[in-house]
Amino acid sequence: MGIGILALIAFMWSQDPNATLFQAAPFGLVGLALLAGAQVYAARNGQHLRVDLITRQAVFVARGKERWKASIDELAPIVCTTFERRRRRNGRSEELTEYQAVLSGQKEVALRQTADYPASRRWAVRLARSWGIGLRGLDGRVRAASELDSPLRPAKEKPAPLSQDSGVSLSVDDGVANLRSSVLPRSSESPDLFLLAAIAFLYAVLKERHADQVFLDPFFQPLETVLLGGLVLVALGVLAVFLRQVWRFLQPATLRVDAQTVGYRGRSMAVGDVREVVSVGDILILGNDRHITIPSDFCRPRDAGVVVRAIHQLIAERAVA
């Protein structure tokens, strides 16, 4: 909503030379009032879990009434799981995969649901650390509260070797492992053209308002100067994101794992910070705070599980070395 209000203000400002911020203020006030009303309604009629960390007791409240009580330890661990739902869009029904953080003990309670697994896992890790309970990720491994910050452990059994038709080849030279994709097209991570359109729109607005004179003309009002300066910063930020996407697009589709780091197309993490490697369409290398995404077409779909286990083993062997 905030982005929409800013876009509306920018549009009005570019169309009317005499437009001021106060002409757009009523739209923002109406939006804030609607948001506040929705929050109050949800608080009074929704469901929530009230937790006391001193007594380690949890109370489930629905529509303002207490439904049940339980010990936090009885509700552990927090489990990251998938949730399938159907949505109709443009007259068509489509399946969506979302990710939940769920209490899996005596009472199964869905705490949060998002469309992004890394964000869901980060939230679940913060909650598990705060409550002092364990966590199970999508890889099926249960981490006790004391192990949330422990590195990956090698699998007890060696993963199956990568087949020649998996689309991925492994080479190891002086302890540095390289997983190279032979099937990944560069276009799979092409720069976002919507960002280019946003840059063009912001440039047109700034040109219309003669932004090149904003700091030189003493007749510009202070408020207008601040707004123009803000738009310039936004335009520079969007341009920086777009240029970074172009740079990543030019990097080879190779996962590199050495004694200290794991990296892919400009993104890197310390091997000791990796906590989980899973396939959710894309292959995700996850830490508690950061993650690396490898596109789903990095390998043949049928070999995604084998590639995930190979990546896990490569990282785990170096993390415990």
Side-chain angles (χ1 to χ4, degrees):
M1 185 180 69
I3 294 175
I5 293 173
L6 290 177
L8 177 62
I9 293 173
F11 177 76
M12 292 175 60
W13 195 28
S14 66
Q15 297 299 311
D16 185 359
N18 298 317
T20 65
L21 180 63
F22 301 102
Q23 291 176 277
F27 296 96
L29 292 176
V30 170
L32 290 175
L34 291 174
L35 180 62
Q39 294 293 330
V40 171
Y41 178 82
R44 290 184 177 179
N45 297 280
Q47 302 175 346
H48 64 274
L49 193 68
R50 191 166 62 234
V51 176
D52 187 334
L53 294 179
I54 298 177
T55 62
R56 297 192 65 76
Q57 293 293 311
V59 179
F60 182 73
V61 180
R63 295 186 178 275
K65 297 182 179 179
E66 296 183 359
R67 301 298 183 182
W68 51 259
K69 297 181 181 179
S71 166
I72 296 176
D73 299 305
E74 295 173 346
L75 301 175
I78 298 175
V79 176
C80 297
T81 184
T82 57
F83 175 76
E84 304 289 339
R85 70 181 181 90
R86 302 192 70 85
R87 180 182 70 176
R88 292 194 64 82
R89 186 175 184 180
N90 298 328
R92 296 182 178 180
S93 179
E94 58 183 19
E95 276 195 3
L96 294 178
T97 299
E98 297 186 339
Y99 304 93
Q100 290 182 334
V102 179
L103 291 174
S104 62
Q106 292 185 3
K107 304 287 186 179
E108 185 170 317
V109 181
L111 300 174
R112 195 183 191 211
Q113 183 171 310
T114 65
D116 180 48
Y117 177 57
S120 178
R121 188 186 187 280
R122 284 194 298 269
W123 185 88
V125 167
R126 288 194 296 268
L127 189 65
R129 186 179 288 118
S130 174
W131 289 6
I133 59 177
L135 172 74
R136 189 178 77 196
L138 286 183
D139 62 353
R141 293 178 173 84
V142 178
R143 289 175 173 270
S146 59
E147 299 176 338
L148 293 176
D149 296 312
S150 300
L152 284 183
R153 296 178 180 176
K156 295 180 179 179
E157 298 180 0
K158 290 287 185 179
L162 297 170
S163 61
Q164 294 183 350
D165 60 349
S166 66
V168 177
S169 61
L170 172 63
S171 63
V172 181
D173 185 19
D174 292 333
V176 178
N178 289 284
L179 275 175
R180 293 184 176 87
S181 173
S182 61
V183 297
L184 178 62
R186 285 192 180 275
S187 60
S188 66
E189 286 200 17
S190 58
D192 190 349
L193 296 181
F194 285 106
L195 292 179
L196 196 59
I199 294 170
F201 172 75
L202 290 171
Y203 175 76
V205 172
L206 293 172
K207 186 176 181 181
E208 179 71 21
R209 301 300 299 180
H210 304 289
D212 56 332
Q213 302 175 18
V214 66
F215 298 113
L216 302 177
D217 192 339
F219 295 102
F220 271 94
Q221 298 179 0
L223 179 59
E224 191 170 15
T225 302
V226 171
L227 289 175
L228 275 174
L231 283 179
V232 169
L233 292 177
V234 170
L236 291 175
V238 174
L239 179 61
V241 172
F242 181 76
L243 292 178
R244 180 170 177 80
Q245 288 183 351
V246 172
W247 180 78
R248 287 182 47 228
F249 170 72
L250 298 176
Q251 303 301 306
T254 300
L255 180 74
R256 186 178 187 275
V257 186
D258 59 29
Q260 286 80 35
T261 61
V262 52
Y264 179 80
R265 282 189 166 176
R267 294 195 185 103
S268 63
M269 294 173 56
V271 293
D273 291 339
V274 178
R275 303 290 179 260
E276 187 177 350
V277 183
V278 294
S279 174
V280 292
D282 294 334
I283 296 173
L284 300 176
I285 301 173
L286 298 135
N288 286 343
D289 300 308
R290 303 175 58 193
H291 72 281
I292 296 174
T293 301
I294 302 175
S296 58
D297 48 3
F298 181 81
C299 62
R300 308 290 183 191
R302 64 177 181 274
D303 294 304
V306 177
V307 172
V308 165
R309 288 189 287 273
I311 294 174
H312 176 105
Q313 195 73 4
L314 288 172
I315 296 173
E317 288 174 349
R318 288 157 177 78
V320 299

